PDB file of all heavy atoms in Angstrom:
ATOM      1  N   SER A   1      53.038  18.881 204.398  1.00 89.00           N
ATOM      2  CA  SER A   1      54.221  19.559 204.944  1.00 89.00           C
ATOM      3  C   SER A   1      55.114  20.014 203.801  1.00 89.00           C
ATOM      4  O   SER A   1      55.303  19.271 202.825  1.00 89.00           O
ATOM      5  CB  SER A   1      55.011  18.620 205.868  1.00 89.00           C
ATOM      6  OG  SER A   1      54.281  18.326 207.035  1.00 89.00           O
ATOM      7  N   LEU A   2      55.646  21.209 203.924  1.00 89.00           N
ATOM      8  CA  LEU A   2      56.627  21.721 202.968  1.00 89.00           C
ATOM      9  C   LEU A   2      57.971  21.781 203.688  1.00 89.00           C
ATOM     10  O   LEU A   2      58.167  22.596 204.597  1.00 89.00           O
ATOM     11  CB  LEU A   2      56.225  23.109 202.466  1.00 89.00           C
ATOM     12  CG  LEU A   2      54.893  23.205 201.708  1.00 89.00           C
ATOM     13  CD1 LEU A   2      54.661  24.625 201.203  1.00 89.00           C
ATOM     14  CD2 LEU A   2      54.841  22.219 200.544  1.00 89.00           C
ATOM     15  N   ASN A   3      58.866  20.896 203.310  1.00 87.00           N
ATOM     16  CA  ASN A   3      60.180  20.823 203.936  1.00 87.00           C
ATOM     17  C   ASN A   3      61.234  21.394 202.996  1.00 87.00           C
ATOM     18  O   ASN A   3      61.101  21.322 201.779  1.00 87.00           O
ATOM     19  CB  ASN A   3      60.520  19.372 204.284  1.00 87.00           C
ATOM     20  CG  ASN A   3      59.566  18.793 205.300  1.00 87.00           C
ATOM     21  OD1 ASN A   3      59.301  19.404 206.328  1.00 87.00           O
ATOM     22  ND2 ASN A   3      59.023  17.609 205.016  1.00 87.00           N
ATOM     23  N   LYS A   4      62.290  21.930 203.577  1.00 83.00           N
ATOM     24  CA  LYS A   4      63.388  22.480 202.784  1.00 83.00           C
ATOM     25  C   LYS A   4      64.676  22.402 203.580  1.00 83.00           C
ATOM     26  O   LYS A   4      64.658  22.225 204.801  1.00 83.00           O
ATOM     27  CB  LYS A   4      63.089  23.927 202.361  1.00 83.00           C
ATOM     28  CG  LYS A   4      62.749  24.856 203.511  1.00 83.00           C
ATOM     29  CD  LYS A   4      62.384  26.242 203.003  1.00 83.00           C
ATOM     30  CE  LYS A   4      62.006  27.166 204.175  1.00 83.00           C
ATOM     31  NZ  LYS A   4      61.665  28.522 203.702  1.00 83.00           N
ATOM     32  N   SER A   5      65.793  22.556 202.888  1.00 75.00           N
ATOM     33  CA  SER A   5      67.096  22.348 203.518  1.00 75.00           C
ATOM     34  C   SER A   5      67.370  23.360 204.630  1.00 75.00           C
ATOM     35  O   SER A   5      68.068  23.057 205.593  1.00 75.00           O
ATOM     36  CB  SER A   5      68.212  22.415 202.473  1.00 75.00           C
ATOM     37  OG  SER A   5      68.229  23.680 201.830  1.00 75.00           O
ATOM     38  N   THR A   6      66.802  24.574 204.521  1.00 72.00           N
ATOM     39  CA  THR A   6      67.062  25.585 205.547  1.00 72.00           C
ATOM     40  C   THR A   6      66.486  25.176 206.896  1.00 72.00           C
ATOM     41  O   THR A   6      66.961  25.633 207.935  1.00 72.00           O
ATOM     42  CB  THR A   6      66.475  26.946 205.128  1.00 72.00           C
ATOM     43  OG1 THR A   6      65.101  26.784 204.770  1.00 72.00           O
ATOM     44  CG2 THR A   6      67.236  27.527 203.958  1.00 72.00           C
ATOM     45  N   ILE A   7      65.466  24.328 206.898  1.00 71.00           N
ATOM     46  CA  ILE A   7      64.929  23.821 208.176  1.00 71.00           C
ATOM     47  C   ILE A   7      66.018  23.053 208.914  1.00 71.00           C
ATOM     48  O   ILE A   7      66.207  23.211 210.124  1.00 71.00           O
ATOM     49  CB  ILE A   7      63.710  22.918 207.919  1.00 71.00           C
ATOM     50  CG1 ILE A   7      62.547  23.728 207.340  1.00 71.00           C
ATOM     51  CG2 ILE A   7      63.274  22.221 209.201  1.00 71.00           C
ATOM     52  CD1 ILE A   7      61.341  22.881 206.968  1.00 71.00           C
ATOM     53  N   LEU A   8      66.748  22.214 208.176  1.00 68.00           N
ATOM     54  CA  LEU A   8      67.827  21.439 208.795  1.00 68.00           C
ATOM     55  C   LEU A   8      68.980  22.337 209.218  1.00 68.00           C
ATOM     56  O   LEU A   8      69.519  22.185 210.320  1.00 68.00           O
ATOM     57  CB  LEU A   8      68.324  20.366 207.821  1.00 68.00           C
ATOM     58  CG  LEU A   8      67.318  19.287 207.414  1.00 68.00           C
ATOM     59  CD1 LEU A   8      67.952  18.340 206.404  1.00 68.00           C
ATOM     60  CD2 LEU A   8      66.837  18.506 208.624  1.00 68.00           C
ATOM     61  N   THR A   9      69.363  23.273 208.338  1.00 70.00           N
ATOM     62  CA  THR A   9      70.508  24.128 208.659  1.00 70.00           C
ATOM     63  C   THR A   9      70.213  25.008 209.866  1.00 70.00           C
ATOM     64  O   THR A   9      71.096  25.245 210.698  1.00 70.00           O
ATOM     65  CB  THR A   9      70.887  25.009 207.455  1.00 70.00           C
ATOM     66  OG1 THR A   9      69.730  25.742 207.010  1.00 70.00           O
ATOM     67  CG2 THR A   9      71.402  24.167 206.304  1.00 70.00           C
ATOM     68  N   ASN A  10      68.990  25.497 209.991  1.00 72.00           N
ATOM     69  CA  ASN A  10      68.634  26.319 211.151  1.00 72.00           C
ATOM     70  C   ASN A  10      68.718  25.507 212.440  1.00 72.00           C
ATOM     71  O   ASN A  10      69.213  25.988 213.469  1.00 72.00           O
ATOM     72  CB  ASN A  10      67.228  26.894 210.992  1.00 72.00           C
ATOM     73  CG  ASN A  10      67.152  27.948 209.897  1.00 72.00           C
ATOM     74  OD1 ASN A  10      68.171  28.530 209.530  1.00 72.00           O
ATOM     75  ND2 ASN A  10      65.968  28.192 209.383  1.00 72.00           N
ATOM     76  N   GLN A  11      68.216  24.268 212.393  1.00 72.00           N
ATOM     77  CA  GLN A  11      68.290  23.405 213.567  1.00 72.00           C
ATOM     78  C   GLN A  11      69.747  23.079 213.910  1.00 72.00           C
ATOM     79  O   GLN A  11      70.132  23.078 215.083  1.00 72.00           O
ATOM     80  CB  GLN A  11      67.516  22.104 213.314  1.00 72.00           C
ATOM     81  CG  GLN A  11      66.008  22.290 213.235  1.00 72.00           C
ATOM     82  CD  GLN A  11      65.411  22.624 214.582  1.00 72.00           C
ATOM     83  OE1 GLN A  11      65.749  22.006 215.584  1.00 72.00           O
ATOM     84  NE2 GLN A  11      64.517  23.596 214.614  1.00 72.00           N
ATOM     85  N   LEU A  12      70.542  22.826 212.883  1.00 72.00           N
ATOM     86  CA  LEU A  12      71.950  22.502 213.113  1.00 72.00           C
ATOM     87  C   LEU A  12      72.696  23.700 213.680  1.00 72.00           C
ATOM     88  O   LEU A  12      73.552  23.554 214.549  1.00 72.00           O
ATOM     89  CB  LEU A  12      72.597  22.041 211.803  1.00 72.00           C
ATOM     90  CG  LEU A  12      72.098  20.698 211.248  1.00 72.00           C
ATOM     91  CD1 LEU A  12      72.681  20.453 209.869  1.00 72.00           C
ATOM     92  CD2 LEU A  12      72.442  19.563 212.188  1.00 72.00           C
ATOM     93  N   ASP A  13      72.379  24.914 213.175  1.00 73.00           N
ATOM     94  CA  ASP A  13      73.033  26.116 213.685  1.00 73.00           C
ATOM     95  C   ASP A  13      72.732  26.311 215.168  1.00 73.00           C
ATOM     96  O   ASP A  13      73.612  26.705 215.941  1.00 73.00           O
ATOM     97  CB  ASP A  13      72.574  27.345 212.895  1.00 73.00           C
ATOM     98  CG  ASP A  13      73.201  27.400 211.505  1.00 73.00           C
ATOM     99  OD1 ASP A  13      74.221  26.708 211.297  1.00 73.00           O
ATOM    100  OD2 ASP A  13      72.676  28.124 210.634  1.00 73.00           O
ATOM    101  N   GLN A  14      71.501  26.041 215.577  1.00 77.00           N
ATOM    102  CA  GLN A  14      71.148  26.152 216.992  1.00 77.00           C
ATOM    103  C   GLN A  14      71.933  25.144 217.828  1.00 77.00           C
ATOM    104  O   GLN A  14      72.459  25.469 218.896  1.00 77.00           O
ATOM    105  CB  GLN A  14      69.648  25.932 217.179  1.00 77.00           C
ATOM    106  CG  GLN A  14      68.779  27.037 216.602  1.00 77.00           C
ATOM    107  CD  GLN A  14      67.295  26.760 216.789  1.00 77.00           C
ATOM    108  OE1 GLN A  14      66.900  25.918 217.593  1.00 77.00           O
ATOM    109  NE2 GLN A  14      66.459  27.456 216.039  1.00 77.00           N
ATOM    110  N   LEU A  15      72.002  23.909 217.319  1.00 75.00           N
ATOM    111  CA  LEU A  15      72.734  22.861 218.039  1.00 75.00           C
ATOM    112  C   LEU A  15      74.213  23.209 218.151  1.00 75.00           C
ATOM    113  O   LEU A  15      74.812  23.119 219.233  1.00 75.00           O
ATOM    114  CB  LEU A  15      72.557  21.522 217.317  1.00 75.00           C
ATOM    115  CG  LEU A  15      73.382  20.345 217.845  1.00 75.00           C
ATOM    116  CD1 LEU A  15      72.994  20.015 219.282  1.00 75.00           C
ATOM    117  CD2 LEU A  15      73.199  19.124 216.956  1.00 75.00           C
ATOM    118  N   PHE A  16      74.812  23.627 217.027  1.00 74.00           N
ATOM    119  CA  PHE A  16      76.228  23.961 217.032  1.00 74.00           C
ATOM    120  C   PHE A  16      76.509  25.182 217.901  1.00 74.00           C
ATOM    121  O   PHE A  16      77.571  25.290 218.512  1.00 74.00           O
ATOM    122  CB  PHE A  16      76.723  24.217 215.603  1.00 74.00           C
ATOM    123  CG  PHE A  16      76.748  22.976 214.752  1.00 74.00           C
ATOM    124  CD1 PHE A  16      76.472  23.039 213.397  1.00 74.00           C
ATOM    125  CD2 PHE A  16      77.035  21.744 215.303  1.00 74.00           C
ATOM    126  CE1 PHE A  16      76.486  21.905 212.614  1.00 74.00           C
ATOM    127  CE2 PHE A  16      77.059  20.599 214.532  1.00 74.00           C
ATOM    128  CZ  PHE A  16      76.783  20.679 213.178  1.00 74.00           C
ATOM    129  N   GLY A  17      75.554  26.116 217.949  1.00 78.00           N
ATOM    130  CA  GLY A  17      75.722  27.286 218.812  1.00 78.00           C
ATOM    131  C   GLY A  17      75.809  26.883 220.276  1.00 78.00           C
ATOM    132  O   GLY A  17      76.644  27.408 221.030  1.00 78.00           O
ATOM    133  N   ILE A  18      74.970  25.940 220.684  1.00 81.00           N
ATOM    134  CA  ILE A  18      74.996  25.455 222.075  1.00 81.00           C
ATOM    135  C   ILE A  18      76.320  24.748 222.368  1.00 81.00           C
ATOM    136  O   ILE A  18      76.940  24.949 223.418  1.00 81.00           O
ATOM    137  CB  ILE A  18      73.809  24.504 222.324  1.00 81.00           C
ATOM    138  CG1 ILE A  18      72.483  25.274 222.248  1.00 81.00           C
ATOM    139  CG2 ILE A  18      73.932  23.829 223.691  1.00 81.00           C
ATOM    140  CD1 ILE A  18      71.250  24.394 222.261  1.00 81.00           C
ATOM    141  N   ILE A  19      76.772  23.898 221.420  1.00 75.00           N
ATOM    142  CA  ILE A  19      78.046  23.178 221.611  1.00 75.00           C
ATOM    143  C   ILE A  19      79.204  24.160 221.712  1.00 75.00           C
ATOM    144  O   ILE A  19      80.088  24.027 222.560  1.00 75.00           O
ATOM    145  CB  ILE A  19      78.278  22.183 220.456  1.00 75.00           C
ATOM    146  CG1 ILE A  19      77.203  21.092 220.476  1.00 75.00           C
ATOM    147  CG2 ILE A  19      79.660  21.547 220.564  1.00 75.00           C
ATOM    148  CD1 ILE A  19      77.252  20.170 219.286  1.00 75.00           C
ATOM    149  N   ASN A  20      79.199  25.183 220.835  1.00 74.00           N
ATOM    150  CA  ASN A  20      80.259  26.188 220.863  1.00 74.00           C
ATOM    151  C   ASN A  20      80.293  26.928 222.192  1.00 74.00           C
ATOM    152  O   ASN A  20      81.368  27.160 222.766  1.00 74.00           O
ATOM    153  CB  ASN A  20      80.044  27.198 219.725  1.00 74.00           C
ATOM    154  CG  ASN A  20      80.971  26.933 218.549  1.00 74.00           C
ATOM    155  OD1 ASN A  20      82.054  26.382 218.727  1.00 74.00           O
ATOM    156  ND2 ASN A  20      80.567  27.319 217.367  1.00 74.00           N
ATOM    157  N   LYS A  21      79.108  27.298 222.690  1.00 80.00           N
ATOM    158  CA  LYS A  21      79.047  28.017 223.964  1.00 80.00           C
ATOM    159  C   LYS A  21      79.549  27.141 225.106  1.00 80.00           C
ATOM    160  O   LYS A  21      80.297  27.615 225.982  1.00 80.00           O
ATOM    161  CB  LYS A  21      77.620  28.463 224.238  1.00 80.00           C
ATOM    162  CG  LYS A  21      77.151  29.609 223.350  1.00 80.00           C
ATOM    163  CD  LYS A  21      75.703  29.970 223.630  1.00 80.00           C
ATOM    164  CE  LYS A  21      75.228  31.077 222.689  1.00 80.00           C
ATOM    165  NZ  LYS A  21      73.788  31.402 222.892  1.00 80.00           N
ATOM    166  N   GLY A  22      79.138  25.860 225.095  1.00 78.00           N
ATOM    167  CA  GLY A  22      79.598  24.942 226.130  1.00 78.00           C
ATOM    168  C   GLY A  22      81.109  24.790 226.114  1.00 78.00           C
ATOM    169  O   GLY A  22      81.760  24.837 227.164  1.00 78.00           O
ATOM    170  N   GLY A  23      81.674  24.607 224.922  1.00 73.00           N
ATOM    171  CA  GLY A  23      83.124  24.471 224.808  1.00 73.00           C
ATOM    172  C   GLY A  23      83.850  25.737 225.224  1.00 73.00           C
ATOM    173  O   GLY A  23      84.903  25.681 225.881  1.00 73.00           O
ATOM    174  N   PHE A  24      83.257  26.896 224.881  1.00 75.00           N
ATOM    175  CA  PHE A  24      83.896  28.155 225.249  1.00 75.00           C
ATOM    176  C   PHE A  24      83.900  28.348 226.762  1.00 75.00           C
ATOM    177  O   PHE A  24      84.893  28.788 227.339  1.00 75.00           O
ATOM    178  CB  PHE A  24      83.175  29.332 224.586  1.00 75.00           C
ATOM    179  CG  PHE A  24      83.749  30.679 224.945  1.00 75.00           C
ATOM    180  CD1 PHE A  24      84.879  31.147 224.294  1.00 75.00           C
ATOM    181  CD2 PHE A  24      83.189  31.450 225.949  1.00 75.00           C
ATOM    182  CE1 PHE A  24      85.434  32.379 224.634  1.00 75.00           C
ATOM    183  CE2 PHE A  24      83.736  32.671 226.301  1.00 75.00           C
ATOM    184  CZ  PHE A  24      84.859  33.143 225.641  1.00 75.00           C
TER     185      PHE A  24
END
């Protein structure tokens, strides 16, 4: 497996996008 920090940031952006939409 080749892992990198952008894998985490992409997953976090998706999660935060859902939270933002819910709060909005």
Side-chain angles (χ1 to χ4, degrees):
S1 293
L2 298 183
N3 297 311
K4 54 184 179 179
S5 60
T6 52
I7 294 176
L8 297 178
T9 54
N10 291 339
Q11 291 290 315
L12 292 173
D13 286 342
Q14 292 179 16
L15 173 63
F16 291 146
I18 293 171
I19 295 173
N20 258 333
K21 288 178 183 177
F24 178 81

